[in-house]
Amino acid sequence: MASGNIAKSALISIRDGKLLVARSFGKEKFFLPGGKPDAGETAKEALYREIREELSVGLHANSVRSWGTFTQQADGKAAGVQVEMACFTAELDGEPAPSEEIEEIAWVDASDREKLSAVAQLVLDDLVQKSLVVSGANSHRAVIFDLDDTLFFTIEAKWNHHRHVARESFGVELTDDVLREYWGKPFTEMIGFYYQNAASVEEMVAANAASRDLFPKKPIEGAREMVLSLLDDGVAVGVVTSTRTEWALGELEREGYPLERFTLVQGSDLVEFHKPDPRVFDEILKIMRACGKTDLTYVGDALLDERAALDAGMKFVGLETGLYSHADFSENTPVLPDISHLRDVL
């Protein structure tokens, strides 16, 4: 933290599309609940203490997730003195109520922006952009997408890519049967099978990366437009994929997806668990639920996508853009020819 700046921990809690804020006695502006860490306290420790002191309520410990740090001119301080606010999403363990130091709490949306402190306005803007603070019928809805053969046609390009790397770098000839058997597994696990663990993980990843641009994935027509329309309608959007995160972000950015509006893009390198294990969704579900999103749908093209989503308690929509047809999915699963038909089942 820069010298003279003010560190603060703050809570992001959203209900029915509105953000929880508080106002101290004698103050005009509302702020995000939280406060300054005491000496020796971490930002997260300060959050627990401050929320208990201000709102007379606790936080579910396993629900607390970092949202990022927002910096802005501190209200009521000399020019140049900034507040650096470390924000966290979390689920409340009870009903919030003003403590003796808080005159009023409120739930606000974009129309209340001018009532907030400068740094709280930054956070509100970010949450509105991500369709987390939103008015209307979709305030509880989120759609999480797979990437490969959901937003991008992947199989043809990447199977050819893996054949090329396996043959040129490791002397391995890949058959369709082998490609199909391990397709969709976490990236490093998958290339270990494909390249017969002929080198270290780092060397296999580097060999793959060296020729990635020669085999680009093709965007699925209408996918970007569908994502944009959902965001514009107040539906929160995320991506959970078996692809490495940096590559997923690059592919989405290249095709003009508004990454700043996504709640989370999570690749296989960010989590310990992988589909079909439902725990692959733990992080994004905790964030979505702390932000009031309870109507959750995962959209994917594979049977492991379906199993993981349903076991995680989400709805699932299948797409016939990968290796599986309508008949392969469960009887009650809605299955679409491609993403352009998604609104038919949402």
Side-chain angles (χ1 to χ4, degrees), residues 151 220-229 252 255-258 339:
L151 301 179
I220 292 179
E221 185 176 355
R224 177 179 173 274
E225 291 72 20
M226 176 59 65
V227 168
L228 287 172
S229 72
L252 290 164
E255 295 303 322
Y257 282 87
I339 198 174

Side-chain angles (χ1 to χ4, degrees), residues 18-231:
K18 295 190 175 186
L19 175 66
L20 178 61
V21 293
R23 184 173 61 82
S24 299
F25 283 94
K27 300 292 186 180
E28 179 183 352
K29 296 289 187 178
F30 285 86
F31 59 89
L32 293 188
K36 302 175 187 177
D38 288 339
E41 270 190 329
T42 66
K44 187 179 289 188
E45 289 168 345
L47 181 77
Y48 285 109
R49 176 182 53 77
E50 289 284 351
I51 297 308
R52 176 67 69 182
E53 291 176 0
E54 293 183 348
L55 303 180
S56 304
V57 71
L59 302 174
H60 288 291
N62 66 353
S63 74
V64 179
R65 294 293 181 275
S66 175
W67 186 256
T69 299
F70 294 77
T71 303
Q72 184 58 284
Q73 169 67 37
D75 290 309
K77 301 295 182 180
V81 177
Q82 296 186 316
V83 58
E84 298 179 4
M85 192 163 70
C87 293
F88 298 84
T89 60
E91 294 184 56
L92 300 175
D93 186 15
E95 188 65 20
S99 68
E100 292 181 357
E101 63 186 69
I102 300 297
E103 182 170 6
E104 181 183 4
I105 65 171
W107 298 89
V108 300
D109 59 23
S111 66
D112 301 303
R113 186 178 188 276
E114 296 306 315
K115 299 177 183 178
L116 307 186
S117 68
V119 69
Q121 289 182 10
L122 287 184
V123 180
L124 179 68
D125 292 344
D126 181 57
L127 298 170
V128 169
Q129 182 172 239
K130 290 177 167 60
S131 295
L132 295 170
V133 170
V134 60
S135 59
N138 289 326
S139 61
H140 296 282
R141 180 168 287 180
V143 178
I144 304 166
F145 292 96
D146 183 32
L147 186 78
D148 292 328
D149 296 304
T150 299
L151 301 179
F152 293 86
F153 285 119
T154 302
I155 290 175
E156 180 179 0
K158 290 304 156 185
W159 281 19
N160 286 336
H161 182 201
H162 287 305
R163 286 190 181 97
H164 170 83
V165 176
R167 181 176 59 252
E168 298 299 324
S169 297
F170 304 110
V172 174
E173 292 294 334
L174 286 176
T175 66
D176 282 358
D177 287 342
V178 171
L179 286 160
R180 179 187 296 268
E181 182 177 359
Y182 297 110
W183 183 244
K185 292 186 179 296
F187 181 77
T188 54
E189 179 182 345
M190 180 178 68
I191 63 173
F193 288 121
Y194 287 167
Y195 309 156
Q196 297 182 3
N197 289 305
S200 69
V201 170
E202 292 76 15
E203 290 169 328
M204 291 188 292
V205 169
N208 182 278
S211 55
R212 282 186 72 249
D213 292 343
L214 300 177
F215 302 89
K217 301 173 185 179
K218 296 180 180 179
I220 292 179
E221 185 176 355
R224 177 179 173 274
E225 291 72 20
M226 176 59 65
V227 168
L228 287 172
S229 72
L230 291 173
L231 286 165

Side-chain angles (χ1 to χ4, degrees), residues 217-263:
K217 301 173 185 179
K218 296 180 180 179
I220 292 179
E221 185 176 355
R224 177 179 173 274
E225 291 72 20
M226 176 59 65
V227 168
L228 287 172
S229 72
L230 291 173
L231 286 165
D232 289 343
D233 285 348
V235 179
V237 168
V239 170
V240 171
T241 174
S242 298
T243 301
R244 291 171 68 87
T245 305
E246 63 177 310
W247 294 351
L249 290 169
E251 289 157 358
L252 290 164
E253 184 176 28
R254 185 190 70 223
E255 295 303 322
Y257 282 87
L259 296 179
E260 71 282 357
R261 299 182 67 185
F262 284 27
T263 301

